[in-house]
Amino acid sequence: MNNKIIRIASLIFIMCGISFLIVTSYIDLSNSKAPEHFVSAGLIDLSKIEDFNHLVKLDGEWKFYENELIHDAQSIEESKKIFVTVPGKWNRYETGRKEPKSFGYGTFHLRIQLSETQINQMVGLKIQNIGMSNKVIINDQVISMSGKPGIDRNSYEMGNVPKYVFYYPEKTELDVLIQVTNFDYSPYSGIVSSILFGPQEVLENTRITAYGYELVFLGASLAVGFVFFMVFLFRIKRTYLLYFSMYIISSGLYVLTHGEKIWFHLFPTFDYLIFAKIQYFSAALAISFFIGYLYTSFPEVFKNRMTKALLLVSFAFYPAVLFPLSIQSNISSIQIAFYIAVMLYSVYGSVKSILHEHTYSVYFVGIILSTAFMGREGIYLVLGKGKVGLWMLLAQFTWILIHASLIAGRLSKTFDLVEEQSKELIRMDQLKDEFLAKLSYALRAPLMGISNVTKLYIEQEEDTLSYSRGVKLSQIQDFSRRLTRLVNDMTDISKIKEGKLTLELSVIQMNRFLRKVATSMAVAYKDDGARIVFDIEDSIPMIRADQDRMKQIIFCLMDHAVLNSKNNPITLSGRGNTESVEISVRYPEESSQSNKHNELFEPFSQQNDLGMESGLGLSIAKQLTELMGGIIEVKHIESGEISITVIFPAYKSRVEVDEIAVTEIQSSQGETFNDIEEQTLATPYSIKTAGQSTVIVADESPTNLKLIVDMLVHHNYSVIAVDNGHDVMKQLQLNPSTDLVVIDYWMQDPSGLEICRKLREVYSRDDLPILMLTTTIDPSVVERALLSGANDFLYKPYQANELIARVHSLVQVKKTLALTTSYELAFLHAQIKPHFLYNALNTIAEYCETEPHEAGRLIISLSKYLRGTLDFENISSFVTVEKELSLVKAYLNIEMARFDKLEVAFDVDDNITVSLPSLTLQTLVENAVKHGVTKIVAGGKVTISIKQLDDGVIFTVEDNGVGMDLEKLDISNKTSEKRNSIGLYNINTRLLKIYGKELIIESTPGLGTKASFVIPNGGSL
């Protein structure tokens, strides 16, 4: 009943609003009220106005001289005049003008009679719409001109801009001549809007008011449009926000080019033809965006074929902007009619939605009425019947308030739905936990009974029990024992999750404790056939922990090892020093497990091809370890084993007892880091630790930033913290050895995705891993992050151990790859061809007999060369130009001694300050000698050039040797079949990784080869 009343009231309100618009529009357009002062027979007498302090419309019967451009009143031929109504379109004048009747030229004439008092003040005219060009002359003095009137297209210039012009009358009678020419605008021409006349002060106030209305409207349009567009950028899927913002902005553009045409106040010399195109285009855009907004914002009502058809029709208006203005102006009339049709369609849709009880029916009423207001005022502007005034401003503010309410309503509804679903999820989660807890308690007794009965039966019937039955009964006992442990683990998981797990901390002497555990373990796993080796040191420091939970942790590790070792030996070891205690379980690694170390601690994760699972044991062990202040690590040992290590800090006190006073604690480490109170730090923030890894963290939230920094520093990472994407790039330039970047997905200006893409333009995934963080649990977000270049992804809120594990994994992968690359470079550069050493030593031997001094010099050169090429530690480091040249000269000294026809030239600028990767220039020189000039019997020349440029230093090695076919050379692909030069590939790869610049090779067979590269200023790293 209430819904029906609301629907009826809404319909009545809409009808009243539309009726109001129709009535007011009729009153405005008919303008039936007769003015107090009007023009009659080309004369208006204002001399009898005693208090002349208002504006007068110069409407009425003007004289018109067709095909005449009159410059002074004395030259008027009265016989050619006709009387016409102003304002009005001269298309309707009874003249002999040919079609189109809107084209042509002529002069309007009016005489204004003033009193002696009135001529003692400045007076003025407001000229609104006289198309398409006009010139105003008062008493033979030109006071205004828009465009340039002419008798044909060649002498006429288009221009129809509203003017406020002022004149100081010298006599009581004013002869007003207005020349008008139109050869472009087809619908109409002439004086189509009233001309206002009055005192300067009043006219100035009118101008300020008109400009104020339009500027307020324009400012509101741009502000609202920009705000909603920014909201859209954060909610890309909400396309209605885009259409709405574009509709508001295009409406602002429409007002900017209509009414007072503020456009020409911003761009006074702007071409009017292009301006007319913009006028038309702004209207077309507004219509299309409005239809798109209806379609996307209210799909239940407007997502249909009719709306699509209207949208397609709106697109048909765009090509007209390319047509001549005479054709375009005719189409604009059709455009107005189409806009009205769209408005009517939106009204129909709103009525339909109300009848069908649409969720946002109430909002439709205000939306349609405010839109209709703006539409009416827009039509007034085109028809020249009105101005952007208070009604337009009111309609705009109404539009803003209604849509703000609509969006707020939607967001509120979404929030309520999420809150309701969250409560339901919490309730279901609690029910699940309760179910697991009750199930675990209910299963514990029968499982224990099965295990005990089976064990008793085996012991009683040991002598008579067959082997096959004994095996089966042992399997039953083993399965029941495992299931019992799983039930116990489920209970612990439930307690940990609820924060109800109580730890009884005590000081434990670890060597005695581990030996007791070893004794228990030998008995417990005897029936499983496990071969356990114990390697426990005699002097292990004490730790502070819960003894029962410590035992549970060690048994969880051993359960996992027994399950996956396939009866291979398992080693339990205990080590310690003054800082920490390590307890490790090692077992042989299956090949299928080698890449799944991070999955070991996930509940029920599959570990091998036989379907063995880790269950909850390792997950429980990990959580218990961290609750007691320790960490757990998984390592792959070179011997082919997996080592799971639990590390606890050594207890510093001198107390040497097995236990101290029991302290019950409620773990707080289970809380997410996002729940901790606000902490901030100033960015960019840098902290150096003893660790060898550096992480850059970027997050706009000071709280999140501080917490991540604390976690990383606690785990011995050096950290650089920033709160925007621009600082990420700056810090990477200052700290090129950074190992990892952690970025928040929802950062702004630039966004996390943009930062990721920019980084990937310079760094590969191997060179610089990226970990993306987000609060949005959405597969599409993960997809976009990974496609933009992220290596890994983590949802907020997260546990500290999960974040550290991912950081550690990515850093280790990066360092492993970097180390592999370094070894490869070292191996390749350290290769000394046997024939080179043989030839060098042979040459030195010859010189020893003939020129001992030269032989000594060559030995020194060979020593320098071998020291430089065999320096494995510095193979991937940077050296000065002077040091690199020293190595080059040492090499060339030997080669020139061997080949007397080898010429070498150096062209090196002074004061070169950049450094370069070692063995870069030397490799190019060696390549030029070996594969270039020495292949020619007549010898050749190698030129080494180092020149300072504005933005860097260019290194060039050029020879006039045999040259090569570049089509057969590919230095960009390590596995390419074309690649036949390891040295050139190496150099190119290093230059790309460090500077993002390639090695440039130019060569012509038979003429020689030129190799060059550029190191930017400051590129020493």
Side-chain angles (χ1 to χ4, degrees):
M1 184 66 181
N2 291 334
N3 291 335
K4 185 175 182 180
I5 294 175
I6 292 174
R7 292 201 303 273
I8 295 174
S10 299
L11 291 175
I12 294 174
F13 188 76
I14 289 176
M15 295 305 297
C16 291
I18 294 176
S19 300
F20 174 77
L21 287 175
I22 293 174
V23 171
T24 55
S25 299
Y26 175 77
I27 294 173
D28 290 343
L29 295 175
S30 61
N31 196 18
S32 59
K33 182 179 178 181
E36 183 179 354
H37 303 280
F38 59 91
V39 180
S40 178
L43 172 67
I44 183 170
D45 188 357
L46 303 178
S47 61
K48 297 181 181 179
I49 300 177
E50 295 182 0
D51 188 11
F52 189 37
N53 57 3
H54 62 277
L55 299 179
V56 177
K57 290 185 177 180
L58 302 181
D59 295 349
E61 193 177 46
W62 287 49
K63 295 178 182 178
F64 179 66
Y65 300 87
E66 186 178 15
N67 297 332
E68 295 281 344
L69 293 181
I70 302 172
H71 296 276
D72 58 88
Q74 288 74 21
S75 61
I76 295 176
E77 297 182 22
E78 292 294 329
S79 60
K80 295 183 179 180
K81 73 174 183 298
I82 62 172
F83 289 102
V84 297
T85 301
V86 174
K89 305 173 184 177
W90 73 16
N91 314 41
R92 302 172 183 173
Y93 298 168
E94 295 181 0
T95 63
R97 187 183 296 109
K98 298 179 181 180
E99 294 292 341
K101 290 188 175 183
S102 59
F103 288 3
Y105 60 96
T107 302
F108 292 86
H109 180 214
L110 171 67
R111 288 186 299 116
I112 303 174
Q113 189 68 44
L114 302 175
S115 65
E116 291 291 340
T117 304
Q118 292 169 344
I119 65 174
N120 292 326
Q121 60 180 331
M122 184 76 75
V123 295
L125 298 172
K126 180 193 176 181
I127 301 168
Q128 182 67 33
N129 187 4
I130 304 178
M132 287 298 290
S133 65
N134 61 82
K135 180 190 293 186
V136 179
I137 304 171
I138 299 179
N139 291 346
D140 302 332
Q141 180 181 346
V142 177
I143 65 169
S144 172
M145 186 166 68
S146 183
K148 180 182 178 183
I151 61 175
D152 53 33
R153 286 186 177 274
N154 295 328
S155 60
Y156 138 90
E157 293 179 4
M158 197 185 335
N160 182 17
V161 181
K163 299 281 187 179
Y164 290 82
V165 296
F166 301 97
Y167 177 78
Y168 195 88
E170 298 177 353
K171 51 185 179 179
T172 58
E173 184 173 295
L174 305 180
D175 270 306
V176 181
L177 296 174
I178 301 180
Q179 299 177 2
V180 181
T181 302
N182 176 37
F183 289 109
D184 288 292
Y185 196 73
S186 298
Y188 56 83
S189 186
I191 304 176
V192 295
S193 296
S194 296
I195 297 176
L196 301 179
F197 177 80
Q200 179 185 12
E201 183 179 355
V202 180
L203 205 56
E204 288 284 9
N205 292 336
T206 302
R207 174 163 60 178
I208 293 172
T209 302
Y211 286 177
Y213 285 154
E214 292 197 8
L215 289 173
V216 168
F217 179 87
L218 181 62
S221 299
L222 294 177
V224 173
F226 179 75
V227 168
F228 278 96
F229 181 74
M230 293 302 295
V231 174
F232 163 74
L233 293 179
F234 290 97
R235 296 290 184 269
I236 299 295
K237 293 183 179 180
R238 308 295 177 95
T239 52
Y240 69 88
L241 293 172
L242 174 63
Y243 285 111
F244 175 65
S245 63
M246 292 298 103
Y247 172 65
I248 292 297
I249 292 173
S250 57
S251 297
L253 181 61
Y254 182 89
V255 172
L256 189 64
T257 56
H258 289 78
E260 299 297 325
K261 298 181 181 177
I262 299 177
W263 181 283
F264 281 100
H265 291 271
L266 302 175
F267 312 103
T269 60
F270 199 81
D271 183 83
Y272 195 87
L273 177 59
I274 300 177
F275 171 79
K277 302 290 185 181
I278 295 175
Q279 279 186 309
Y280 174 86
F281 191 66
S282 66
L285 280 177
I287 296 173
S288 297
F289 284 130
F290 181 72
I291 298 173
Y293 170 69
L294 292 178
Y295 184 83
T296 55
S297 184
F298 309 104
E300 304 89 346
V301 181
F302 294 105
K303 194 170 186 178
N304 51 44
R305 294 181 179 178
M306 182 63 182
T307 310
K308 291 181 179 179
L310 290 174
L311 189 59
L312 291 175
V313 172
S314 71
F315 294 153
F317 289 105
Y318 293 115
V321 77
L322 303 175
F323 297 164
L325 188 58
S326 58
I327 299 175
Q328 175 192 302
S329 57
N330 281 324
I331 297 176
S332 64
S333 301
I334 303 173
Q335 188 184 54
I336 295 171
F338 178 71
Y339 187 44
I340 295 174
V342 172
M343 291 295 148
L344 293 176
Y345 175 67
S346 65
V347 172
Y348 162 76
S350 68
V351 173
K352 183 179 178 181
S353 70
I354 294 172
L355 292 175
H356 288 81
E357 300 182 14
H358 188 278
T359 307
Y360 301 105
S361 298
V362 177
Y363 294 102
F364 275 100
V365 179
I367 289 173
I368 298 306
L369 291 179
S370 60
T371 304
F373 269 116
M374 289 189 289
R376 185 189 75 163
E377 296 297 329
I379 294 171
Y380 276 13
L381 290 174
V382 175
L383 297 177
K385 294 293 183 180
K387 61 183 179 180
V388 179
L390 181 60
W391 288 111
M392 177 63 85
L393 184 61
L394 180 61
Q396 176 65 21
F397 285 143
T398 304
W399 175 276
I400 295 172
L401 290 175
I402 291 172
H403 277 276
S405 301
L406 173 59
I407 294 174
R410 286 185 169 183
L411 292 176
S412 177
K413 185 177 180 180
T414 303
F415 178 79
D416 291 341
L417 180 62
V418 170
E419 188 177 30
E420 182 180 347
Q421 292 176 343
S422 298
K423 290 180 180 179
E424 182 65 17
L425 286 174
I426 293 172
R427 189 181 70 84
M428 296 301 294
D429 189 56
Q430 290 174 345
L431 290 176
K432 181 259 297 180
D433 291 340
E434 290 176 6
F435 171 76
L436 290 177
K438 292 178 180 178
L439 179 64
S440 62
Y441 284 116
L443 289 176
R444 187 173 298 169
L447 286 173
M448 187 63 67
I450 293 173
S451 178
N452 292 335
V453 169
T454 305
K455 183 178 181 181
L456 179 62
Y457 184 78
I458 293 174
E459 292 176 352
Q460 290 177 345
E461 305 294 334
E462 182 177 3
D463 296 333
T464 60
L465 195 65
S466 66
Y467 176 76
S468 59
R469 288 188 177 182
V471 171
K472 292 178 180 178
L473 288 172
S474 297
Q475 289 177 339
I476 293 174
Q477 189 178 23
D478 180 58
F479 292 150
S480 63
R481 185 169 60 249
R482 291 184 183 179
L483 192 55
T484 300
R485 290 175 183 169
L486 178 60
V487 169
N488 292 334
D489 291 341
M490 290 168 57
T491 304
D492 289 338
I493 284 285
S494 178
K495 289 181 178 179
I496 292 174
K497 188 172 182 180
E498 295 175 4
K500 296 180 179 179
L501 185 69
T502 301
L503 300 177
E504 297 181 356
L505 300 183
S506 62
V507 177
I508 307 173
Q509 289 187 341
M510 288 304 296
N511 55 344
R512 186 187 304 177
F513 172 77
L514 287 177
R515 294 186 189 282
K516 291 181 179 179
V517 171
T519 303
S520 302
M521 199 170 283
V523 176
Y525 292 104
K526 179 179 179 182
D527 295 336
D528 293 322
R531 292 187 291 165
I532 304 176
V533 178
F534 300 101
D535 182 15
I536 302 172
E537 290 183 348
D538 293 331
S539 57
I540 302 178
M542 297 181 292
I543 66 170
R544 183 175 174 80
D546 185 313
Q547 292 195 55
D548 292 334
R549 295 301 178 183
M550 275 299 302
K551 186 175 181 180
Q552 181 180 355
I553 291 170
I554 297 173
F555 268 89
C556 284
L557 301 185
M558 188 57 68
D559 282 344
H560 173 80
V562 170
L563 187 65
N564 290 276
S565 66
K566 294 184 177 180
N567 296 325
N568 289 312
I570 303 170
T571 301
L572 173 65
S573 63
R575 299 282 186 272
N577 53 44
T578 56
E579 298 297 328
S580 63
V581 173
E582 297 184 2
I583 306 166
S584 300
V585 173
R586 299 197 312 271
Y587 64 92
E589 179 184 30
E590 296 293 324
S591 59
S592 60
Q593 300 179 36
S594 57
N595 296 322
K596 298 184 178 181
H597 293 170
N598 292 334
E599 300 177 5
L600 287 175
F601 301 108
E602 296 179 6
F604 303 108
S605 60
Q606 294 287 339
Q607 296 299 320
N608 54 45
D609 297 335
L610 298 176
M612 294 295 185
E613 296 179 344
S614 65
L616 292 171
L618 288 185
S619 178
I620 291 287
K622 187 174 188 292
Q623 294 184 62
L624 289 175
T625 300
E626 291 171 351
L627 284 173
M628 292 188 291
I631 60 173
I632 188 167
E633 295 180 347
V634 181
K635 296 180 181 178
H636 173 71
I637 304 175
E638 294 182 357
S639 60
E641 293 181 322
I642 289 180
S643 173
I644 306 178
T645 304
V646 178
I647 304 173
F648 281 91
Y651 184 64
K652 301 294 184 179
S653 174
R654 295 182 179 180
V655 178
E656 296 182 358
V657 294
D658 287 340
E659 294 184 354
I660 61 174
V662 174
T663 304
E664 294 188 0
I665 65 167
Q666 200 74 14
S667 173
S668 61
Q669 298 182 30
E671 299 178 3
T672 60
F673 281 90
N674 297 57
D675 297 330
I676 301 176
E677 63 182 10
E678 181 96 356
Q679 300 181 58
T680 61
L681 48 81
T683 59
Y685 175 81
S686 176
I687 182 169
K688 184 72 175 176
T689 65
Q692 299 299 315
S693 300
T694 301
V695 180
I696 292 180
V697 181
D699 197 315
E700 290 181 342
S701 169
T703 303
N704 292 340
L705 201 59
K706 178 67 167 58
L707 290 172
I708 296 174
V709 169
D710 290 344
M711 284 186 280
L712 293 175
V713 170
H714 178 69
H715 288 82
N716 214 24
Y717 287 96
S718 297
V719 183
I720 300 170
V722 298
D723 58 2
N724 64 83
H726 301 294
D727 283 348
V728 173
M729 309 303 292
K730 293 179 182 178
Q731 292 301 323
L732 277 172
Q733 293 176 356
L734 297 174
N735 302 274
S737 59
T738 298
D739 298 292
L740 175 68
V741 176
V742 180
I743 307 173
D744 182 62
Y745 182 92
W746 292 113
M747 291 187 68
Q748 302 180 22
D749 192 29
S751 67
L753 292 179
E754 291 172 347
I755 300 170
C756 208
R757 294 189 188 101
K758 289 181 180 179
L759 291 178
R760 285 293 168 254
E761 292 175 1
V762 182
Y763 305 95
S764 68
R765 292 177 187 263
D766 296 339
D767 295 331
L768 184 65
I770 298 175
L771 174 62
M772 190 81 77
L773 308 177
T774 185
T775 56
T776 305
I777 304 178
D778 185 350
S780 64
V781 172
V782 179
E783 180 183 4
R784 286 194 293 270
L786 296 177
L787 289 176
S788 67
N791 295 67
D792 201 358
F793 203 87
L794 183 61
Y795 290 117
K796 296 179 181 179
Y798 43 76
Q799 297 291 339
N801 56 280
E802 184 177 8
L803 174 66
I804 296 301
R806 291 177 187 264
V807 169
H808 180 73
S809 175
L810 292 172
V811 169
Q812 289 303 116
V813 169
K814 190 255 187 183
K815 288 185 177 294
T816 301
L817 291 172
L819 188 61
T820 302
T821 303
S822 176
Y823 286 158
E824 180 183 1
L825 292 174
F827 174 74
L828 292 173
H829 279 291
Q831 294 185 76
I832 305 300
K833 302 292 185 180
H835 70 268
F836 172 76
L837 280 176
Y838 173 79
N839 291 333
L841 293 173
N842 194 39
T843 302
I844 294 171
E846 292 178 1
Y847 273 93
C848 285
E849 296 180 1
T850 58
E851 299 181 42
H853 179 73
E854 182 64 20
R857 191 178 66 84
L858 291 178
I859 290 174
I860 294 174
S861 296
L862 180 61
S863 173
K864 289 182 179 180
Y865 175 75
L866 292 176
R867 184 170 63 250
T869 55
L870 291 175
D871 190 354
F872 276 48
E873 292 183 358
N874 297 323
I875 200 67
S876 57
S877 63
F878 295 83
V879 297
T880 63
V881 173
E882 182 181 359
K883 186 174 181 179
E884 185 74 2
L885 281 176
S886 175
L887 181 62
V888 169
K889 291 176 180 178
Y891 168 76
L892 289 175
N893 286 337
I894 299 172
E895 294 292 54
M896 285 190 294
R898 292 179 56 209
F899 305 102
D900 55 356
K901 294 182 180 181
L902 171 62
E903 296 182 31
V904 177
F906 289 90
D907 184 10
V908 181
D909 285 352
D910 295 331
N911 301 322
I912 299 295
T913 58
V914 301
S915 299
L916 70 160
S918 62
L919 299 179
T920 305
L921 188 62
Q922 188 276 334
T923 304
L924 294 179
V925 172
E926 185 175 345
N927 190 74
V929 173
K930 286 185 177 181
H931 305 291
V933 296
T934 58
K935 299 292 184 180
I936 301 177
V937 177
K941 182 177 181 180
V942 176
T943 303
I944 298 99
S945 170
I946 306 176
K947 293 292 182 181
Q948 179 71 53
L949 305 178
D950 292 338
D951 58 346
V953 177
I954 182 169
F955 296 76
T956 306
V957 177
E958 186 173 3
D959 67 76
N960 57 357
V962 295
M964 58 181 165
D965 186 358
L966 293 180
E967 292 184 357
K968 297 181 180 180
L969 180 70
D970 184 2
I971 62 173
S972 62
N973 188 352
K974 182 177 180 180
T975 60
S976 173
E977 295 179 359
K978 294 181 180 181
R979 184 179 61 78
N980 50 20
S981 175
I982 295 177
L984 294 180
Y985 163 77
N986 255 346
I987 295 173
N988 187 62
T989 301
R990 294 174 75 188
L991 292 174
L992 278 174
K993 284 187 176 182
I994 299 172
Y995 307 112
K997 296 180 180 293
E998 292 183 312
L999 175 65
I1000 301 173
I1001 299 178
E1002 305 171 37
S1003 184
T1004 304
L1007 297 180
T1009 302
K1010 178 181 178 181
S1012 62
F1013 61 91
V1014 176
I1015 293 182
N1017 290 329
S1020 61
L1021 296 181

